[in-house]
Amino acid sequence: MSMKKKLSLTMAGSLCLILLLNIILSLYTTQASLRRESERKMLLAARQVAASIEQSQESAGMVERQIGELLHVAAKLAEELGEVPIGAVIVRNGEIIGRGYNLRETSQDATAHAEIVAIREASIAVQSWRLLDCTLYVTLEPCPMCSGAIVQSRIPRVVYGTYDPKAGCAGTLMNLLQEPRFNHRTEVIADVLQEECAGLLTQFFRKLRGKA
C-alpha cells in the first residue's frame, strides 16, 4: 500500500472515530427529537471536517483537538452508564450504515459488543449478511467473537484504535482476521489515534477500580 493511501485511510479512520464518539453521545439522549438533531449536527460537522482534510494539511491537528473533546464526553457517559467505552461504525461509500456501542451490561448480553451491534444494524440496512465494500472502524481491537463475526460477514477492512492485550485477535494474541486457512481475510489498519483510545479505556478502568 502506498504512503498516500495509508495517510488517507488514517485520516478517514480519525474522522470515523470522531463520528462514532459523537454518536455515543447522541445515543443516550433520552428524547428522540434531541437525538436526531444531535446526529444531524454531527453529520454536518463530519462533512466539514472531511472537506478540511482534503483542502489543508493542518487539518490533522484539528481532528486531534476534536477527538480529545469527544473522548472526554465519552468518558463521562461511560462513568454514568457503567459500560466500557467502546464504539464501532461501519461505513460504505462514505455513509454510515451500522453503528454499535458496548451494551453488555445494559442488555445483560455477552454478545452485545460494539462490533456485533454495528454488524447487525449494517446487515439490516443493506438487506444482506455480506457486508462487501465496507470498512469497520472500532476504538478497540476486536476480540475472538467479533473477529469471527467480521470474517463471517465478509467485511474487507477493519480500522481500530488501540490494541487489546487480553483478547485482541487482529494481531495481538492471534490474527483471526488474516488467518490463511479461512475463506475470507480482512485488511487490518491498527493504531489510529491509539493513545487517545487507550487513554479513554485506562481512565475508565482506573475509576472503576477506585469504586470497588
Side-chain angles (χ1 to χ4, degrees):
M1 184 186 299
S2 69
M3 183 61 68
K4 183 176 181 181
K5 184 177 180 181
K6 285 184 178 179
L7 178 60
S8 175
L9 287 171
T10 298
M11 296 303 292
S14 299
L15 175 59
C16 281
L17 288 175
I18 289 174
L19 290 176
L20 81 86
L21 288 169
N22 248 321
I23 294 167
I24 289 173
L25 172 61
S26 67
L27 174 70
Y28 299 109
T29 302
T30 54
Q31 298 183 34
S33 61
L34 292 178
R35 184 169 63 249
R36 288 193 295 270
E37 177 64 12
S38 176
E39 291 201 5
R40 185 190 69 78
K41 291 180 179 179
M42 174 269 294
L43 289 171
L44 177 60
R47 293 190 187 103
Q48 294 172 344
V49 172
S52 297
I53 288 173
E54 292 178 358
Q55 296 171 6
S56 173
Q57 292 182 349
E58 296 178 358
S59 59
M62 177 184 65
V63 168
E64 290 177 1
R65 286 194 297 274
Q66 292 192 46
I67 276 289
E69 294 174 6
L70 293 169
L71 285 169
H72 178 69
V73 172
K76 286 188 174 295
L77 283 170
E79 184 176 4
E80 294 172 4
L81 296 166
E83 292 283 0
V84 179
I86 302 170
V89 292
I90 296 176
V91 177
R92 187 178 71 166
N93 298 327
E95 177 185 0
I96 295 175
I97 61 170
R99 61 200 73 188
Y101 321 89
N102 194 41
L103 297 172
R104 186 170 58 179
E105 298 298 332
T106 302
S107 63
Q108 290 299 297
D109 178 0
T111 69
H113 287 199
E115 299 96 318
I116 300 295
V117 177
I119 287 170
R120 288 170 177 164
E121 183 174 301
S123 295
I124 291 172
V126 301
Q127 292 293 293
S128 174
W129 60 267
R130 293 182 180 89
L131 298 179
L132 306 175
D133 303 317
C134 293
T135 300
L136 185 149
Y137 298 87
V138 62
T139 52
L140 182 67
E141 181 182 4
C143 71
M145 175 182 68
C146 295
S147 296
I150 289 166
V151 170
Q152 290 297 323
S153 57
R154 305 297 192 264
I155 294 174
R157 181 182 299 114
V158 168
V159 179
Y160 73 81
T162 189
Y163 67 94
D164 185 349
K166 295 184 177 180
C169 286
T172 299
L173 299 183
M174 62 187 73
N175 193 348
L176 294 178
L177 296 182
Q178 297 178 332
E179 168 56 54
R181 292 170 293 182
F182 290 166
N183 63 351
H184 174 78
R185 284 172 289 282
T186 298
E187 179 186 359
V188 177
I189 299 173
D191 299 332
V192 174
L193 297 174
Q194 190 275 332
E195 292 184 5
E196 291 87 346
C197 292
L200 175 60
L201 291 165
T202 299
Q203 185 178 18
F204 172 80
F205 285 112
R206 184 177 295 130
K207 289 184 177 180
L208 193 65
R209 287 192 295 269
K211 291 180 180 179

